[in-house]
C-alpha cells in the first residue's frame, strides 16, 4: 500500500508557513514504514530538532481506479480516520531552499500515526470538524469545509497520475496551528467529539 499526502490544502495553514495557495494540489508520498497504528508511541528521531504535528483527515481507498472522475470519486472510499503527518520542518526547509524533494522530511519511520477507520456513513464529510490537543491544550482545529481542494477533487486529481489501489491512504492536509512536539508530549486527536488518536512522543 502507499500513503499519499497533500500539502497546503488549508489556506490558513499555507499562510502560517508563508506560502501562497497552490493552484494545483501539492502531492507527496510516504512509505508504508511511516505508519504507526494502535496508539503506538512516536519515538523522536535523532536527525531532526523540529518535528511538527499536522493533524489530518485520512481517507482509505476501497477500490482500484485511475482517471477517476470527480463525480464518481465518492465510490472509492467508505471509511475515514484521523492521522498525524509528522514533518521534520528543519529538513523540509532545507530541502525547499535547495529545491530538493521532501521525501526524508515527510517519510521517516513513524511519521504517519493513524487511528482506527470509521464508516463515512452518517458523517457530513464536507463539514467535518476535527482537532488536536497536546498535553490537554487545544493546538489545531479544522473543518473539512476549509479545504482548498475537496476529497473528491483530490482523488480525481491524483488518480490521473498514480493508480489508487484498495488499502491506500490519502492524507488530506492540515489546518493551521502546526507546532513542534517534544518527548513526553501526549497527542489526542478528535473527530467531532470523538477521541480517535491518543499517543505519546518518547
Ligand atoms: Mg500535512
Amino acid at each position: 500500500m502507499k500513503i499519499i499526502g497533500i500539502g497546503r490544502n488549508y489556506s490558513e495553514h499555507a499562510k502560517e508557513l508563508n506560502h501562497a495557495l497552490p493552484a494545483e494540489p501539492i502531492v507527496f508520498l510516504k512509505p508504508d514504514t511511516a505508519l504507526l497504528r494502535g496508539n503506538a508511541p512516536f519515538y523522536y528521531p535523532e536527525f531532526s530538532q523540529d518535528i511538527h504535528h499536522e493533524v489530518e483527515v485520512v481517507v482509505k481507498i476501497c477500490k482500484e481506479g485511475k482517471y477517476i472522475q470527480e463525480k464518481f470519486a465518492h465510490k472509492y472510499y467508505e471509511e475515514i480516520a484521523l492521522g498525524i503527518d509528522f514533518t521534520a520542518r528543519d529538513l523540509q526547509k532545507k530541502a525547499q531552499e535547495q529545491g530538493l524533494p521532501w521525501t526524508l522530511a515527510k517519510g521517516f519511520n513513524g511519521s504517519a500515526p493513524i487511528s482506527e477507520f470509521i464508516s463515512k456513513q452518517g458523517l457530513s464529510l464536507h463539514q467535518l470538524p476535527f482537532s488536536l490537543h497536546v498535553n490537554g491544550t487545544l493546538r489545531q482545529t479544522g473543518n473539512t469545509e476549509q479545504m482548498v481542494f475537496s476529497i473528491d477533487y483530490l482523488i480525481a486529481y491524483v488518480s490521473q497520475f498514480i493508480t489508487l489501489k484498495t488499502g491506500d491512504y490519502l492524507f488530506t492536509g492540515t489546518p493551521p496551528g502546526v507546532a513542534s512536539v517534544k518527548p513526553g508530549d501526549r497527542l489526542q486527536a478528535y473527530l467531532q467529539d470523538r477521541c480517535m488518536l491518543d499517543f505519546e512522543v518518547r
Side-chain angles (χ1 to χ4, degrees):
M1 57 83 64
K2 57 187 169 290
I3 304 165
I4 297 161
I6 303 295
R8 298 173 211 160
N9 201 28
Y10 287 78
S11 54
E12 293 302 315
H13 169 62
K15 255 187 227 169
E16 74 182 343
L17 294 184
N18 297 314
H19 290 299
L21 269 191
E24 291 184 323
I26 297 170
V27 181
F28 59 91
L29 295 173
K30 288 178 187 259
D32 58 2
T33 42
L35 283 175
L36 274 188
R37 298 183 196 272
N39 288 320
F42 170 74
Y43 287 91
Y44 202 101
E46 288 178 0
F47 51 73
S48 175
Q49 273 68 56
D50 196 19
I51 303 278
H52 276 197
H53 57 71
E54 298 189 354
V55 67
E56 310 198 357
V57 172
V58 182
V59 169
K60 180 157 76 178
I61 300 299
C62 65
K63 190 160 81 158
E64 184 167 323
K66 54 182 162 184
Y67 295 107
I68 298 165
Q69 289 181 52
E70 189 178 351
K71 64 181 174 184
F72 297 130
H74 64 278
K75 296 173 186 279
Y76 288 80
Y77 58 100
E78 300 288 349
E79 294 177 299
I80 66 162
L82 287 183
I84 308 292
D85 168 22
F86 273 131
T87 303
R89 198 70 74 200
D90 44 359
L91 301 193
Q92 189 193 32
K93 274 190 188 138
K94 203 168 139 192
Q96 282 170 335
E97 282 163 14
Q98 298 175 3
L100 296 172
W102 299 358
T103 308
L104 298 179
K106 287 283 197 182
F108 55 88
N109 289 335
S111 62
I114 195 159
S115 73
E116 292 294 308
F117 280 83
I118 58 170
S119 170
K120 71 176 185 180
Q121 301 303 327
L123 297 174
S124 75
L125 287 184
H126 301 294
Q127 205 176 39
L128 199 58
F130 60 103
S131 64
L132 179 72
H133 290 70
V134 179
N135 303 324
T137 301
L138 181 62
R139 281 268 190 94
Q140 285 190 268
T141 51
N143 190 307
T144 53
E145 70 185 1
Q146 300 154 347
M147 285 182 173
V148 178
F149 302 107
S150 71
I151 293 171
D152 290 355
Y153 185 91
L154 292 172
I155 286 175
Y157 182 84
V158 172
S159 73
Q160 300 174 89
F161 302 90
I162 299 174
T163 299
L164 300 180
K165 296 177 85 170
T166 303
D168 287 348
Y169 295 158
L170 173 67
F171 277 64
T172 58
T174 198
V178 302
S180 303
V181 296
K182 58 182 190 312
D185 283 348
R186 179 180 180 188
L187 275 64
Q188 293 167 298
Y190 291 83
L191 188 66
Q192 296 168 322
D193 293 330
R194 177 175 177 160
C195 186
M196 301 283 288
L197 263 179
D198 185 351
F199 68 97
E200 274 181 23
V201 178
R202 287 188 188 160

